[in-house]
Amino acid sequence: MVRLMTERLLLRELALDDWSALHEVESRPEVARYQSFEPRTVAESRAYVAQSYNGAKQDPRETYDLAVILTSDDRLIGRCGLGITDPGQIEAMLWYTMHPSYWGRGYATEAARAIVDFGFRELRLHRIWADCDPANDASIRVLEKLGMRREGHLRENAWIKGAWVDSLIYAILDQEWS
Ligand SMILES: CC(C)(COP(=O)(O)OP(=O)(O)OC[C@H]1O[C@@H](n2cnc3c(N)ncnc32)[C@H](O)[C@@H]1OP(=O)(O)O)[C@@H](O)C(=O)NCCC(=O)NCCS
């Protein structure tokens, strides 16, 4: 069970009944805009949380998809995660999503910083990377604030929502983090 405290946030395991709070976030078009999924339906939000919940029980575990709770309000405002992307368990992909009412207050950066730190210190990862739509300026800024390096710009590497899209690849290594 992962539980990470920051100054203003608690990152904890998703519970099955978190689906409705998460649906408040992920059913919004502005949240899905630069992501591979469309705004989620209720059924999709339920299925997503169930999948993440079951993923937490995998052994070896590959997915750490954590609820982000604003401690002062005890309110779920988003999620943040790491997904192991190699069989040797040395590399993981980072993601984060926040409720638009809470954008621009540093919460995504604070949550991502905590999970990246967990990835390097507890999971002993060597490399953490993220991919991001080049038009997603807020996400690019979060990655930069974390100190991640832009490693590449992939041209039209994904077909998403009826169009080819580019990806920016950002990464940071364990020795750079410490
Ligand atoms: C990306 C996202 C998680 C950022 O959440 P957040 O809590 O607002 O992030 P933070 O407040 O920590 O940092 C956002 C930074 O982006 C900047 N920013 C926001 N919108 C911007 C824009 N349109 N252009 C340039 N910078 C922008 C903010 O000013 C801030 O930078 P600063 O601290 O230097 O002022 C949020 O926008 C979101 O949930 N988007 C939808 C999901 C998503 O796209 N996830 C990422 C997939 S790769």
Side-chain angles (χ1 to χ4, degrees):
M1 292 274 284
V2 179
R3 210 177 155 83
L4 308 173
M5 296 291 298
T6 70
E7 194 186 335
R8 299 175 294 171
L9 306 172
L10 163 67
L11 277 65
R12 61 147 173 81
E13 302 287 358
L14 277 166
L16 285 176
D17 61 4
D18 284 329
W19 73 266
S20 81
L22 203 56
H23 183 70
E24 278 295 308
V25 181
E26 299 199 302
S27 59
R28 293 170 182 270
E30 67 269 45
V31 168
R33 181 167 174 203
Y34 297 117
Q35 311 220 59
S36 53
F37 58 86
E38 298 285 357
R40 293 202 206 278
T41 62
V42 164
E44 286 167 345
S45 290
R46 281 181 181 274
Y48 180 83
V49 170
Q51 180 192 314
S52 286
Y53 179 81
N54 291 327
K57 296 180 190 149
Q58 263 184 312
D59 186 19
R61 185 169 177 179
E62 290 175 355
T63 308
Y64 297 81
D65 196 16
L66 304 180
V68 177
I69 311 295
L70 183 61
T71 322
S72 58
D73 298 8
D74 192 24
R75 184 188 165 120
L76 188 155
I77 60 166
R79 65 183 172 86
C80 180
L82 286 177
I84 308 287
T85 51
D86 71 309
Q89 300 250 324
I90 56 169
E91 193 173 43
M93 183 176 74
L94 166 72
W95 61 80
Y96 38 74
T97 297
M98 296 291 145
H99 191 297
S101 300
Y102 297 88
W103 286 359
R105 302 187 204 173
Y107 292 136
T109 307
E110 190 170 321
R113 192 170 280 137
I115 204 162
V116 167
D117 197 63
F118 167 78
F120 286 131
R121 287 179 200 276
E122 302 293 328
L123 302 180
R124 313 302 297 172
L125 297 170
H126 176 57
R127 179 174 182 270
I128 295 178
W129 63 279
D131 76 359
C132 176
D133 188 312
N136 194 347
D137 292 318
S139 183
I140 290 171
R141 185 75 193 113
V142 171
L143 296 168
E144 286 171 348
K145 287 194 285 181
L146 290 171
M148 295 176 77
R149 178 177 3 90
R150 186 183 291 195
E151 291 189 336
H153 184 149
L154 310 185
R155 298 296 311 277
E156 300 196 356
N157 66 313
W159 177 260
I160 297 176
K161 301 174 187 170
W164 287 110
V165 294
D166 292 5
S167 297
L168 297 178
I169 304 296
Y170 280 80
I172 188 161
L173 304 175
D174 50 0
Q175 67 266 28
E176 294 170 327
W177 187 255
S178 58

